[in-house]
Amino acid sequence: MILDNKQLEKFITYERKSAWGNNIDASMEYAEGYKRFIAKAKTERECVREALSYAKEKGFVDLNDKIASGEKINPGDKLYYVHQHKCIVMFIMGTNHLTQGMNITAAHIDAPRLDLKAVPFYEEAGLSLLKTHYYGGIKKYQWTAMPLAMHGVIFTKDGKRLDIAIGENDDDPCFFISELLIHLSSEQLSKKASVAVTGEQLNVIVGNIPIDDEEIKQKVKFSTLKLLYEKYGITEKDFLSAEIEIVPAIKPRDIGFDRSMIVAYGHDDRVCSYAAFSALCDIDHPERTCACILCDKEEIGSVGSTGLNGLFFENIVSELINLTSDEYSELALKRTLANSYVLSMDVGCVLDPSYSDVFEKLNTAIAGDGVILEKYCGSRGKYDSNDANSEYLYKLCKLFNDNNVIFQTGELGKIDAGGGGTVAYMLAKYGALTVDLGVGVLSMHAPCELISKADLYSAYNASKVFYNIEK
Ligand code: MN
Ligand code: MN
């Protein structure tokens, strides 16, 4: 067949394609489930709780029970493992031996926020306030002058654990960090944005009514503490061991006349987390064992017991091998991990038309053109990036094309404009083929972030076909 130039152009050139196409209804419908999830999952602990209840409904059972009983695991088994209330791993056992490798998705469920300090309470200028220490990469000036909610866990003196979420219901009180009035801001406005508001100025206002008692010195602080004691049985000392996170008291909302986008707190990286685990829950009887890791601490370097730089995932896979017909050995563990395929699922950036000078347009993803496949991220010449290989990229491109998954490539902005990392290299270190894939976000790390519903649905479809990828 002889092609004319127009036909030939279509064949030999690459162009991004909108992910909306025939997917409008499906994208809208899928987004409703995500909105329900993200409205309730505003901390890593709450993400675990919500993902767990979703998985349990789909028939997943606790791997810990199998570990305790020593009962063997069989193909088709659906298992979950919760690590320290802040990570969850879900597995669907395949018919293949584990040592032939798994299909693993990894996303993170922590998000930038403000944490309360250990001794947070003080009183000044007729107000009761709380000191915070920010978590993750934030523009500090963005966290002032809006309603805030308080989430977390606190143990009372007698060991009773309280899970707190105040500020989410319409009749809940909220909290507030003041912003300097414009009328007195001439000095502040001449400062660099990075120091215009400092970390020590992110103090949360929580009360104003003083106790009517001359004997008490700090009258407003006392009233606040008294209220907490009477209502929850909490004392100031209990905050020494508490984990309380201050987050925007904002519900997910549709954006656009066409309702095509969602604004919410914490899309990074709960949007990929949701796509990854909801897709896993829709898989049945895979050949290769499928795993979905939702981990903590990515925003501060994946450190600690619940970060992916730690060993929790490796430990769980060891338990899994021990409970299959394979004999556990270090070699079996190494083979299982090295033969695995990994999607490091984390959000990417899309071209922001109002700040287009920091992007290189040819290689920046576009909102609505599908999930982003990122060969590398990092900074200063791909430093700290995973830089996936061509064989694996080809395999995934083919997989997505064969299954009508609309995807695009992307980079994190112009060379040397900044940069960022993901958990990709932490699983790649085992020798596993690994690449970054994720939903594009506008206003990443701002208190409210924006995504396209088409990109979310594309991430779900990409995860789903990935779980069925064969050797
Ligand atoms: Mn992220
Ligand atoms: Mn992030």
Side-chain angles (χ1 to χ4, degrees), residues 65 118 140 170 197 391 429:
D65 292 344
K140 297 176 199 83
D170 287 341
V197 172
E391 286 78 0
K429 77 180 172 200

Side-chain angles (χ1 to χ4, degrees), residues 23 30 71 76 122 148 207 224 252 270 301 304 312 344 352 391 426:
N23 294 317
Y30 181 73
E71 185 194 335
Y122 72 104
L148 297 165
T224 305
R270 290 156 191 165
F312 75 86
S344 157
D352 186 332
E391 286 78 0
M426 296 160 211

Side-chain angles (χ1 to χ4, degrees), residues 8-82:
L8 191 60
E9 185 193 29
K10 216 180 151 191
F11 186 72
I12 65 174
T13 61
Y14 167 70
E15 245 183 291
R16 288 188 167 72
K17 196 171 148 189
S18 172
W20 283 104
N22 302 324
N23 294 317
I24 296 178
D25 291 346
S27 301
M28 294 290 183
E29 199 193 321
Y30 181 73
E32 291 306 304
Y34 172 59
K35 275 157 57 186
R36 282 193 295 276
F37 166 74
I38 199 170
K40 289 193 205 154
K42 296 183 99 166
T43 67
E44 57 280 24
R45 288 169 186 267
E46 291 169 358
C47 284
V48 167
R49 187 190 65 203
E50 294 304 314
L52 182 59
S53 82
Y54 193 104
K56 277 183 176 172
E57 238 170 68
K58 299 279 183 172
F60 283 70
V61 299
D62 195 348
L63 176 57
N64 265 321
D65 292 344
K66 306 261 181 188
I67 294 170
S69 68
E71 185 194 335
K72 288 287 177 197
I73 290 169
N74 300 304
D77 281 0
K78 300 182 173 187
L79 304 156
Y80 66 81
Y81 187 96
V82 173

Side-chain angles (χ1 to χ4, degrees), residues 190-446:
S190 68
K191 288 181 184 170
K192 270 174 33 181
S194 58
V195 293
V197 172
T198 65
E200 297 296 354
Q201 285 172 327
L202 296 177
N203 302 314
V204 186
I205 297 171
V206 296
N208 178 231
I209 305 176
I211 188 88
D212 185 15
D213 186 337
E214 281 314 307
E215 296 293 304
I216 303 295
K217 265 192 263 161
Q218 296 194 296
K219 293 185 171 52
V220 190
K221 176 185 161 183
F222 178 86
S223 300
T224 305
L225 284 170
K226 187 162 179 266
L227 199 151
L228 288 178
Y229 184 64
E230 285 169 357
K231 191 154 186 198
Y232 305 105
I234 305 171
T235 70
E236 191 175 10
K237 284 179 199 143
D238 300 332
F239 282 83
L240 267 66
S241 58
E243 272 185 354
I244 310 285
E245 306 180 10
I246 305 294
V247 298
I250 295 161
K251 292 184 171 68
R253 300 292 298 265
D254 284 348
I255 293 289
F257 290 116
D258 56 4
R259 310 187 83 99
S260 54
M261 296 161 281
I262 305 168
V263 70
Y265 163 67
H267 283 316
D268 177 8
D269 184 32
R270 290 156 191 165
V271 65
C272 295
S273 299
Y274 183 79
F277 80 72
S278 66
L280 183 74
C281 288
D282 289 343
I283 298 292
D284 265 314
H285 299 288
E287 282 189 13
R288 287 159 67 85
T289 293
C290 300
C292 171
I293 308 169
L294 306 182
C295 60
D296 180 32
K297 298 284 186 279
E298 193 277 342
E299 296 295 357
I300 59 166
S302 297
V303 290
S305 168
T306 54
L308 206 50
N309 255 329
L311 294 178
F312 75 86
F313 181 64
E314 201 181 304
N315 294 346
I316 301 161
V317 175
S318 304
E319 297 282 6
L320 214 57
I321 292 169
N322 193 44
L323 290 174
T324 59
S325 51
D326 300 315
E327 276 288 290
Y328 172 77
S329 70
E330 204 181 331
L331 186 61
L333 173 67
K334 288 190 175 201
R335 283 181 179 160
T336 300
L337 293 168
N339 289 327
S340 290
Y341 294 127
V342 179
L343 282 187
S344 157
M345 292 187 63
D346 204 346
V347 295
C349 71
V350 287
L351 183 66
D352 186 332
S354 303
Y355 300 92
S356 55
D357 53 328
V358 296
F359 301 96
E360 186 268 286
K361 286 184 183 158
L362 208 53
N363 287 287
T364 299
I366 300 293
D369 283 358
V371 71
I372 310 167
L373 183 66
E374 265 189 61
K375 175 170 162 59
Y376 49 83
C377 48
S379 55
R380 293 165 290 121
K382 304 190 181 181
Y383 206 91
D384 283 336
S385 94
N386 160 63
D387 206 20
N389 72 20
S390 182
E391 286 78 0
Y392 189 44
L393 285 168
Y394 170 75
K395 195 176 176 73
L396 289 176
C397 288
K398 185 169 181 332
L399 177 80
F400 296 153
N401 286 328
D402 289 350
N403 290 281
N404 298 315
V405 176
I406 308 292
F407 73 101
Q408 57 184 326
T409 61
E411 278 195 25
L412 192 54
K414 262 186 188 166
I415 294 169
D416 295 339
T422 66
V423 298
Y425 70 86
M426 296 160 211
L427 291 164
K429 77 180 172 200
Y430 295 109
L433 285 166
T434 304
V435 71
D436 284 302
L437 182 101
V439 174
V441 172
L442 277 169
S443 305
M444 198 188 295
H445 283 208

